[in-house]
Amino acid sequence: MNGRFLAFAGGAAGAWRVTRMSAVAGEPLATVERVAVTGGAQPQESAGWVLRGATSNERYLRGEERAMLAAVQPPLGRPAASEAALIPIRKSAAWWALAQDERRAVLEERSRHIATGLRYLPAIARRLHHCRDLGEAEPFDFLTWFEYAPADAPAFDALLAELRATEEWRYVEREVDVRLTRA
Amino acid sequence: MNGRFLAFAGGAAGAWRVTRMSAVAGEPLATVERVAVTGGAQPQESAGWVLRGATSNERYLRGEERAMLAAVQPPLGRPAASEAALIPIRKSAAWWALAQDERRAVLEERSRHIATGLRYLPAIARRLHHCRDLGEAEPFDFLTWFEYAPADAPAFDALLAELRATEEWRYVEREVDVRLTRA
């Protein structure tokens, strides 16, 4: 999985067992038992759904913010981080119609998305995948994958609650919250 | 062609006849006679090459810059604009590793990409397509399509010469310049 493109296949197989699925906004995803994370952008067979995404360049992060994050952010795959969350999000047309500085102002100057995330490091590992420009049929704009130790689950819930209360989240028109544990 | 995804197929067919092809940096594209512009992100059959891309949200433009552009930028498809250029570009890993504010500083504060483009409006119509996050096999990061009247061809060449002399262009590792005329 050295490539930038990944697929999250929900079905009966996979290294992660689903413990809870909830639709935070908009349509839910079909209930599945497992999620398999694989490399490659090609659509795959799955009993349930397949979400694809690509890691990409930073869209909002400034140089000094990236340096702060780099100093504290943990890698994926820590043995103690046996819990995970997959949170696919689609933002509204109104969000995408904003100019770059307008989106940055909502995301950070007014919603403190980056600063809030920083406060939960190094407990929560995170990787963002973009899917908006991947193809016409993609149901989400982003897929974020998080990993944390069971003891940090309450902190992770607090992080999500903070973010979901922001002005940025008024632009979220679909969000599903899939919680997993290493199978 | 209402969708965001388009394909530019170089081969023996298409509404645009190729008048000149040159490799500005890196590998050339195979010589073709025509280019067909079609909707849809699916790979297509072609005697030559197929480049795909998607129009997307603005990555660098500020609100006030977008307003200035919107006031003067012409649409594609003007009857007098019988000349076109398709310019696929790939930027280096060093470019993509920069933070958002660092890329903006190179692109506009130091290279005046947006301000320079504005000076050539309304003569030159332009549409930018992104392909970096479209799939693993995409040979370019962007495809830009320009349309102008024959009398504005020298101005278009001057615009390209200005841009290619900037700091931003030091990050361009592959660029092909395909000139076309309505067949």
Side-chain angles (χ1 to χ4, degrees):
Chain A
M1 287 209 287
N2 290 316
R4 294 198 294 120
F5 290 81
L6 285 97
F8 299 86
W16 294 89
R17 184 169 57 78
V18 175
T19 55
R20 184 161 65 83
M21 291 182 64
S22 48
V24 179
E27 285 286 298
L29 280 172
T31 303
V32 294
E33 288 171 34
R34 301 266 187 139
V35 170
V37 186
T38 58
Q42 292 313 305
Q44 301 180 7
E45 292 293 317
S46 172
W49 35 261
V50 180
L51 303 177
R52 303 178 301 138
T55 59
S56 190
N57 56 293
E58 300 295 349
R59 305 296 164 91
Y60 301 104
L61 217 54
R62 293 187 175 149
E64 71 274 16
E65 292 163 343
R66 196 175 52 175
M68 282 191 289
L69 278 169
V72 284
Q73 66 192 356
L76 296 181
R78 293 170 295 172
S82 58
E83 308 281 299
L86 171 65
I87 305 195
I89 278 181
R90 187 177 66 228
K91 283 180 169 171
S92 66
W95 172 261
W96 296 113
L98 294 175
Q100 177 68 28
D101 62 332
E102 295 164 343
R103 274 179 279 106
R104 161 78 199 192
V106 173
L107 182 136
E108 187 57 15
E109 275 66 63
R110 302 215 288 276
S111 300
R112 311 300 292 162
H113 189 142
I114 297 164
T116 300
L118 258 171
R119 283 195 285 105
Y120 291 89
L121 296 181
I124 314 291
R126 168 188 179 273
R127 189 170 61 198
L128 176 64
H129 313 80
H130 297 260
C131 23
R132 174 171 154 78
D133 290 341
L134 201 57
E136 271 158 329
E138 295 308 314
F140 295 98
D141 294 330
F142 311 100
L143 315 172
T144 316
W145 178 264
F146 302 91
E147 291 178 7
Y148 47 88
D152 290 317
F156 181 66
D157 287 330
L159 166 62
L160 294 185
E162 283 200 62
L163 290 174
R164 287 172 182 156
T166 62
E167 178 181 345
E168 183 192 349
W169 247 253
R170 294 184 211 162
Y171 295 93
V172 172
E173 61 179 26
R174 188 176 181 196
E175 178 177 4
V176 180
D177 187 337
V178 183
R179 300 299 177 93
L180 311 109
T181 190
R182 225 181 271 276
Chain B
M1 289 209 286
N2 291 318
R4 293 198 295 120
F5 291 81
L6 285 97
F8 299 86
W16 294 89
R17 184 169 56 78
V18 175
T19 56
R20 183 162 66 83
M21 291 182 64
S22 47
V24 180
E27 286 287 298
L29 280 172
T31 303
V32 294
E33 288 171 33
R34 302 266 186 141
V35 171
V37 186
T38 58
Q42 291 314 304
Q44 300 178 11
E45 292 293 316
S46 172
W49 35 261
V50 179
L51 302 177
R52 306 178 300 138
T55 60
S56 189
N57 57 292
E58 300 295 349
R59 305 296 162 91
Y60 301 104
L61 217 54
R62 292 187 176 148
E64 71 275 15
E65 293 162 342
R66 195 173 55 177
M68 282 191 289
L69 278 169
V72 284
Q73 66 192 357
L76 295 182
R78 293 170 297 172
S82 57
E83 308 282 300
L86 171 64
I87 304 194
I89 278 179
R90 186 177 67 227
K91 282 180 170 169
S92 66
W95 172 261
W96 296 113
L98 295 174
Q100 178 67 27
D101 61 333
E102 296 164 342
R103 273 179 282 108
R104 160 78 198 192
V106 173
L107 183 136
E108 186 57 15
E109 276 65 64
R110 303 215 288 275
S111 301
R112 310 300 292 159
H113 189 142
I114 297 163
T116 301
L118 258 171
R119 284 194 286 105
Y120 291 89
L121 296 180
I124 315 290
R126 170 187 177 273
R127 188 170 61 200
L128 176 65
H129 313 81
H130 297 259
C131 22
R132 176 171 151 79
D133 290 341
L134 200 57
E136 271 157 328
E138 296 306 315
F140 295 99
D141 294 331
F142 311 101
L143 316 171
T144 317
W145 178 264
F146 302 90
E147 291 178 7
Y148 47 89
D152 290 318
F156 180 66
D157 286 330
L159 166 62
L160 294 186
E162 282 200 60
L163 290 174
R164 288 172 182 157
T166 61
E167 179 181 345
E168 183 192 350
W169 247 254
R170 294 184 210 161
Y171 294 93
V172 172
E173 60 179 28
R174 188 177 181 195
E175 176 176 8
V176 181
D177 187 336
V178 184
R179 300 299 176 92
L180 310 111
T181 191
R182 227 182 269 278

